[in-house]
Amino acid sequence: MVRERFPDQVRYASCVEHVIESAAVAEFLVHTLSLPAPLAYLLAALIHCGFILGLVAAGAVVFIWAERKVSGRIQDRLGPTRTGGKFGWLQSPADGIKVLAKEDLIPRAADRLLFRAAPYVSFSSSFTAYLALPFADGWVAFDTNVAVFFILAVLGLEVFGVILAGYASGSKWSLFGAMREAAQVVSYEVPLGICVVIPVLLTGTMNLTTIANMQAGWCSNWLIFHDPFTFAVFWIYATCALASVNRAPFDLAEAESELVAGFMTEYSGMRWSLFFMAEYSSMLLVSCLAVILFFGGWHGPIPVFDWLGWAYPGGASSWQLTGFLANLAGCVNFITKAVIGVTVMLWIRWTLPRLRIDQVMTMCLKYCVPLAAICFIGALWWQVAGWWSPNHWLPLRPDGPGGMRETWVVAPEAACGEVARRLPWADSAPPHGAARRTLPGCGLAGPPAGWRTGSPAAARGGVQ
Amino acid sequence: MVADATLVDRLRHRFGDHIVSAELETIDPWVEVAPEGLVDICRYLRDEPGLQYDMLNCISGVDYLHTDPKKAAQAAWQPHLVVVYHLSSTITRQRLVLKVTTSRWRQDVAGELPEVPSVSGVWRGADWHEREVYDLMGVRFTGHPDLRRILCPEDWIGHPLRKDYQPPEYYHGIRDH
Amino acid sequence: MSIINDPRVVEFNIRTDEMLINMGPQHPSTHGVLRLVLRTDGEVVLGAAPHIGYLHRCAEKIGENLAPRQWVPYTDRMDYLASMNMNLGWALVVEKLLQLEVPEKGRHLRVLVAELNRIASHLVAMGTYGLDLGSFTPFLYAFREREKILDLFEQVCGARLTYSYIVPGGVTGDLPQGWLQNCAQFLQELEPVVDDYHALLTSNAIFIKRTAGVGVLPGEMAVNYGCTGPVLRGSGIDQDLRRDGEPWYTSLYDGYQFAVIVQKEGHYPQDHDYPAVPAEAVLGDCWHRFYVRMLEVVQSMDIVRQALDKYAAAAGDCGTPIKLNHKLPPGEAYLETEAPKGQMGFYLVTDGSAIPWRVRARSSCFANVSVTSELCRGCLLADVPAIVGSLDIVLGEIDR
């Protein structure tokens, strides 16, 4: 039925192709400004890093300010009101100056090298994870087909900074904080990984741009509404993400009332604030990831730009103003959703008491892991059984990319075949089956072609 | 309502000479007991049905010493220390005051702390109260599990609530006042 | 390892080194300058030794050199969160020694401010307990309401923390114009906020997980250690000096209707629909101690309402404070009052001059905190702030 409604399933393939071609900045430099390729790629990398560093730093500054204002309002007070005029919007820069001017103390018992290195380990890992994060269709610094994996892996490195800090501080409180962090983060990565695998399973790719593009259209097309299991798994993801970035009620590593400041006890000045920035950027990161995986990424609740026809059509590789505007609006949309996620984190932090370490571990091992596993099987089952999903009920633009997700299930062979033809190395294309394997996810969850419709021919029928 | 003649008679009957005296006509009537009988009397007061003084509210030390020789000459008493126990019962709601009198120094050798048996085996709460009396008033409670200073630093010299206490001029190089 | 009997915390038997940790005197959740030396095996606390005395200000020694009226400000600084109750305890014991009765109006005024201060103290206890458990918001909610009480006290005596308002013989001044209306209005404002507190903490699932069954203090042990106040009542011992104290003190509350907040047959006396006791809670645990305080806030509000009416109806004055050179008859008096933290006792020995021979303050927190090492044995590190916080200690009173 879906296939009949959305015959243009080639879109899926073109979308993938579009992603593959999206080293846009470098190409712009090479083609338009005629720079030599190595220089162009270096410049492009620097521009990307600059953007992301700016975003992370600005994000941290904004969120620290927002945390003060939000917590102030939650607690029936005003928060900063004077620094920088109204709303105290200069509070974070003022704090930054203060923090820079502070003495950088290193305790005598500390391991000086590790003590100094730890904040950078933490900060750079949470920063590096942004490289693979797309902010709009094609707006990504390092477009990789294993973006989900990359982000989770790199984000997991943040814990090393914390453990180093706790170990190197030469303080018992810090050590406690580090040990708690190690136990907690390592444990929570298991359910977190299972939760993240479910959208990957449904979309058949680990490429975040593709995952987001597959949720284009109405909000009913978002993966969270795909079936009851994805809906449930989002909440597990939210819990685990909260725990893995050490936010209340899981902020045991820096539990103020127990461990003074946990692993940060001995830090002062800028090094201390690097931990802080790492924490805030991780918060934003897991929130962004949730938006892409469950909330359609830059695809809004209403597909305005699809109606207008501004969105980059699949396969377009040249720069277009309308496409740029659509992407800009998509980026704003994306960041708005992510900020809502962060705000919810703040809200939770200022409302709930902290759990105890044994309760945190119980929650992970006895509740989150089994539930995530059940949801994993459930979502798989739902998809394989081809049961109803809101995506069927509220249709997308018939020629939009929204039909793709079902296409992926219905006619994987056809779609993959199409992609295979469009791959850069299509001329020397390997045999059909091999091409399928080159795409992550292809052949992973896709049932045999024609499985749903009865015959491979019927499945292929839509692809013209 | 607190300590009446019946109770004193009962105690006298049971503990004989260990009940030194009793003053029933004051605001807070009290019974003075000999140090030797203190623990037994306390245990009896705690466990005896009808008495059941299960809570030790307070232990206070009072130093009776006039530092002014003129006043000392006029005083009706010889210098001595009194340890006061305020008991109460959560069951009968009764209250009782026990007193133990002791010399200011053991065998009147200055610096040798007088000894009173500890009641921390009867009421666990006595532990800290006795430590405080030891710390501030200088009474050694024999049989106390962990008799250390509690409010003053462990290396403090002297017992500040004694009337003849002179604050040290220096403590770890820090000058007093 | 055999010390730990709780299967919740022992999962495997690996030989690990014990670690000594100094918690305090500078630590966010030791409520001042309490120092706990914890012997830990990983997260498990094998033993906790409280050390006090960092705030010792020789109040008793000073009391031997000042007239009773002059010592009132020193009582302020004992439990500085409930100075009115400290003032009251001292004033009553001096009056007991002098056998000095305070007029009817003064009696109701004392009840009024003492109970208001009890609300303020319990609000701080509630708020800081949230803080100990990692929840910051209840703290500010509590302080918001406490500010209003402090405003009321400021109108009464000009001070917001150290009131020195109730003095032997009476009070330093009568209530100002319009104060009764302000107070009644405050009570109206506080009434709905109590529900917020219950929603934020008492009935919060995480809060219950953190407090129910933690730090269980059996009633017998509580009595044996001399624990008093909400700590004692939280353990199910039915004792409140406002009802069970000496007549010199209970006469203050003659004609007042209130029920002692203690669990009897599984129920607390309450006329509101406050959260029920969760299934996990054990009598004498942190949750019960907390809950007793929360119910006492409502109880005190009720007593304040009664006091407002009685004060307004009473004629005459509030009593005349004694003079500085007032001769104290030779003798001694001891009186305990029900302060918010427990039974606060003062012992006064006099020799006939205007200056007491000996002054002794029996601190409720002193006895309450002495039970810490017993409660913390075998708990987790995170339970230590939960236990210490539930005892609601003020170091100013412990160290005097």
Side-chain angles (χ1 to χ4, degrees), chain A residues 203-227:
Chain A
T203 54
T205 175
M206 286 210 267
N207 187 312
L208 284 172
T209 313
T210 317
I211 293 177
N213 277 340
M214 283 192 173
Q215 305 172 60
W218 291 91
C219 55
S220 60
N221 205 22
W222 292 351
L223 280 175
I224 185 176
F225 301 124
H226 181 266
D227 61 62

Side-chain angles (χ1 to χ4, degrees), chain A residues 66-80 350:
Chain A
E67 171 131 38
R68 293 174 158 216
K69 290 306 268 189
V70 168
S71 67
R73 291 296 169 170
I74 287 174
Q75 294 169 349
D76 205 1
R77 55 189 177 87
L78 294 172
W350 295 107

Side-chain angles (χ1 to χ4, degrees), chain B residues 34-60:
Chain B
E36 307 82 60
L38 179 68
V39 176
D40 287 341
I41 294 170
C42 285
R43 189 158 284 132
Y44 173 78
L45 288 172
R46 186 192 68 181
D47 294 335
E48 184 70 8
L51 299 175
Q52 287 165 309
Y53 289 100
D54 52 0
M55 187 182 275
L56 174 77
N57 294 55
C58 190
I59 302 179
S60 327

Side-chain angles (χ1 to χ4, degrees), chain A residues 56 59-60 63-64 66-67 126 130 133 155 158 237 241-248 254 275-291 337-350:
Chain A
V56 172
F63 284 126
I64 289 168
E67 171 131 38
S126 85
Y130 277 89
L133 188 79
L155 194 62
E158 197 193 334
Y237 172 86
L242 211 55
S244 65
V245 299
N246 270 310
R247 288 292 291 184
E254 47 181 283
F275 277 120
F276 229 69
M277 282 166 75
E279 179 186 327
Y280 279 87
S281 68
S282 306
M283 269 165 73
L284 182 62
L285 188 77
V286 292
S287 190
C288 287
L289 203 57
V291 170
K337 287 184 207 168
V339 167
I340 290 172
V342 174
T343 312
V344 171
M345 286 186 185
L346 301 184
W347 180 17
I348 290 172
R349 166 163 181 190
W350 295 107

